[in-house]
Amino acid sequence: MASSCSTLLLGNSAAFASALRSLINNPEFSDVKFLVGKEQQEVFAHRCLLSSRCPAFHAMLSQAQEIQTPLILNHVQPEVFLAIIEYLYTNSITLTNLIALEVFTSSVEYGLDDLRKLCIEFIKGTLNVEQVCEAFQAAVAYEQEDFQKYCLGFIENCTQEVVQTRGFLELSELAVQTILQSNCLTIDEAKLIRAVREWAHVGSAVLGKPVREVAGAVVPGLRLALLSPSELTTLEEENRKDQMIPVESLAEAWKTHALWKGRGGMRSSFCRRRCGTLPREHHRRLDPQHK
């Protein structure tokens, strides 16, 4: 008796992909309808395909009591949702820089790891000064460490330009804290302090909170001791208007200036210069090893 054998044979993949693409948002033979975005745009899909490709959709569709009842998705824009549908049907996606970040966040929420990677690859290749803070914010919010490091590296290289963007003013407290931990920011500390003050004022207006409260967790990341005595004096005068910087922090900066002789140089992060810090006469006293 002859032994049996089997071989996997592949047909025309292009024709297969084209056939599936023709089903995207096609009401013919669809068995589930979504109302997407604020406009509640109709998007037609196929229950079995979505369920097999995405655990989040499997759970969502399993809970739907009536297949004919439209599922409402207010939190996602139609063009973003259609891009996700395209990926689920064809395993490929057409991205633009206008929707890539939203597709990325949706991919994380829906548990689509391969799509997440594709989005990150695209965003990295198209990243610019105007968009980097928004990308960094998403990376921080969704705990994407590698993506966060990449965005931070971009911010470090273009810090002076980045802090002037609207995206910087819209960063969360945690995102600003993370940026201020970097020693590689290419901006002088005096300009960085002014940028943080502007960020805090915007946050104060949006949240209806005092500037000092908005900036409370962020101010410790500012390296006030890098400022010269005359700059510290000016900063104190500016600070009387909004009290963004606690008196204790200013006092600590003055203390550092006063006690440098007895300590043989200060090497704490409070005094460490960043890449963009302009030299001041007292810096060699704060850290004799950093010339």
Side-chain angles (χ1 to χ4, degrees):
M1 182 177 177
S3 60
S4 64
C5 65
S6 64
T7 302
L8 176 64
L9 303 175
L10 299 178
N12 188 324
S13 58
F16 176 74
S18 178
L20 283 178
R21 185 174 292 277
S22 70
L23 297 177
I24 296 174
N25 199 19
N26 188 340
E28 187 175 12
F29 301 121
S30 69
D31 55 7
V32 61
K33 181 170 70 174
F34 296 90
L35 299 180
V36 184
K38 295 179 181 179
E39 309 89 346
Q40 295 204 331
Q41 178 176 320
E42 290 184 338
V43 175
F44 299 93
H46 302 80
R47 182 188 181 94
C48 62
L49 202 154
L50 296 186
S51 297
S52 64
R53 290 278 285 153
C54 177
F57 278 120
H58 183 276
M60 183 190 305
L61 295 170
S62 296
Q63 293 174 2
Q65 297 297 318
E66 304 239 354
I67 299 176
Q68 298 304 318
T69 301
L71 298 175
I72 299 175
L73 299 176
N74 290 322
H75 67 286
V76 60
Q77 295 302 312
E79 57 270 26
V80 173
F81 187 69
L82 285 170
I84 295 170
I85 293 294
E86 176 191 7
Y87 171 77
L88 293 177
Y89 276 62
T90 67
N91 209 40
S92 62
I93 186 169
T94 305
L95 284 176
T96 70
N97 59 356
L98 298 177
I99 67 169
L101 200 54
E102 288 187 70
V103 176
F104 159 73
T105 58
S106 294
S107 71
V108 177
E109 293 171 355
Y110 290 147
L112 299 171
D113 196 52
D114 286 342
L115 178 57
R116 176 188 65 85
K117 293 176 182 177
L118 289 175
C119 290
I120 290 177
E121 182 180 349
F122 177 86
I123 294 169
K124 285 181 177 180
T126 60
L127 203 59
N128 58 48
V129 168
E130 294 297 327
Q131 296 176 327
V132 66
C133 284
E134 188 177 359
F136 181 70
Q137 179 62 62
V140 171
Y142 287 91
E143 299 180 342
Q144 302 291 307
E145 292 187 8
D146 290 342
F147 188 30
Q148 178 178 317
K149 290 178 181 178
Y150 184 90
C151 293
L152 180 58
F154 191 104
I155 292 170
E156 288 170 340
N157 290 330
C158 309
T159 314
Q160 292 199 65
E161 295 83 1
V162 168
V163 299
Q164 298 177 50
T165 65
R166 176 178 176 178
F168 179 80
L169 299 177
E170 296 176 346
L171 286 173
S172 68
E173 176 186 281
L174 178 58
V176 176
Q177 281 181 292
T178 304
I179 291 173
L180 293 182
Q181 291 171 4
S182 173
N183 297 316
C184 300
L185 301 180
T186 50
I187 187 173
D188 184 60
E189 203 68 22
K191 290 184 177 180
L192 186 59
I193 292 170
R194 285 196 291 272
V196 170
R197 171 166 271 124
E198 186 176 358
W199 168 84
H201 276 266
V202 170
S204 173
V206 172
L207 300 174
K209 297 180 179 180
V211 170
R212 179 172 181 174
E213 184 177 339
V214 172
V218 167
V219 167
L222 298 173
R223 303 175 186 183
L224 304 182
L226 295 177
L227 301 182
S228 67
S230 62
E231 289 173 317
L232 275 175
T233 299
T234 301
L235 182 61
E236 283 185 316
E237 294 174 355
E238 294 174 349
N239 201 58
R240 292 192 184 98
K241 302 174 184 177
D242 56 21
Q243 299 182 334
M244 182 184 84
I245 302 173
V247 174
E248 297 79 10
S249 297
L250 290 165
E252 183 65 23
W254 281 114
K255 182 179 179 182
T256 302
H257 277 276
L259 299 180
W260 66 267
K261 290 183 179 179
R263 296 185 181 182
M266 297 289 292
R267 298 182 178 85
S268 69
S269 59
F270 185 68
C271 305
R272 184 170 179 177
R273 286 185 283 182
R274 308 182 199 268
C275 289
T277 303
L278 297 176
R280 293 164 175 79
E281 193 278 333
H282 74 287
H283 286 174
R284 59 186 177 85
R285 303 171 182 171
L286 292 173
D287 186 355
Q289 302 302 315
H290 194 161
K291 300 179 180 180

